Amino acid sequence: MMKGAMSASDMPKGMDMSMLEECLEALSACMQACVMCADADAGEGMGRCAAMCSNCADMCGTMMRMMLRMNGWDMALMMSMMESTMAMCRACSAECMMHAEMSEHCRMCAMACDQAAMALEKMLGSMREMAPAM
């Protein structure tokens, strides 16, 4: 998706482009799954799950936009936002897992949330290793 869109000079020093791409793709998949799940939940009268999914979709979308603005990266702020987005993904996954046996959209949403949280955790770990050098 991003190959050729950004040069290495656009990225923070030491950033792994493939890890960034993986994270963006996982966030996009999570956002889409959450939007679809929230819509289905609303139609099924599952208000709490719909709200969690809507909030998670919003946070994933915001996180993606922040990550794409390479010139505006502030490592401390990015890491804090990643931690918050990870927490939201995990909370949404836990909520959806409560309905996963009876609801395919909740099962798929939980899986997408877990993948996004894992991608964020991996990238955050890499950023923590880079932070002293910045």
Side-chain angles (χ1 to χ4, degrees):
M1 169 182 114
M2 293 175 45
K3 287 183 176 38
M6 286 187 267
S7 69
S9 64
D10 293 332
M11 294 176 43
K13 186 177 181 176
M15 182 64 62
D16 181 343
M17 184 61 151
S18 63
M19 192 180 301
L20 177 64
E21 287 181 42
E22 178 184 326
C23 197
L24 288 167
E25 288 172 10
L27 287 166
S28 178
C30 184
M31 181 181 71
Q32 292 172 53
C34 285
V35 168
M36 290 188 294
C37 192
D39 183 62
D41 289 342
E44 296 169 357
M46 295 171 31
R48 176 172 168 75
C49 193
M52 292 288 281
C53 289
S54 293
N55 289 339
C56 190
D58 289 346
M59 287 192 73
C60 286
T62 299
M63 186 77 254
M64 282 189 305
R65 287 188 304 279
M66 287 176 70
M67 292 172 87
L68 289 168
R69 295 183 190 120
M70 294 291 176
N71 288 323
W73 272 45
D74 175 285
M75 277 303 194
L77 294 174
M78 287 300 288
M79 291 167 68
S80 177
M81 182 63 180
M82 285 179 173
E83 289 171 352
S84 297
T85 304
M86 244 187 332
M88 185 72 242
C89 288
R90 288 182 177 138
C92 187
S93 175
E95 179 67 27
C96 283
M97 281 306 291
M98 290 192 290
H99 316 117
E101 286 187 26
M102 65 179 182
S103 171
E104 181 66 9
H105 59 82
C106 282
R107 186 186 67 76
M108 291 175 64
C109 186
M111 287 174 42
C113 288
D114 289 341
Q115 289 296 312
M118 286 188 291
L120 284 164
E121 186 172 25
K122 182 179 173 183
M123 184 151 180
L124 189 56
S126 175
M127 290 171 69
R128 284 186 175 130
E129 290 174 8
M130 291 179 353
M134 297 185 149

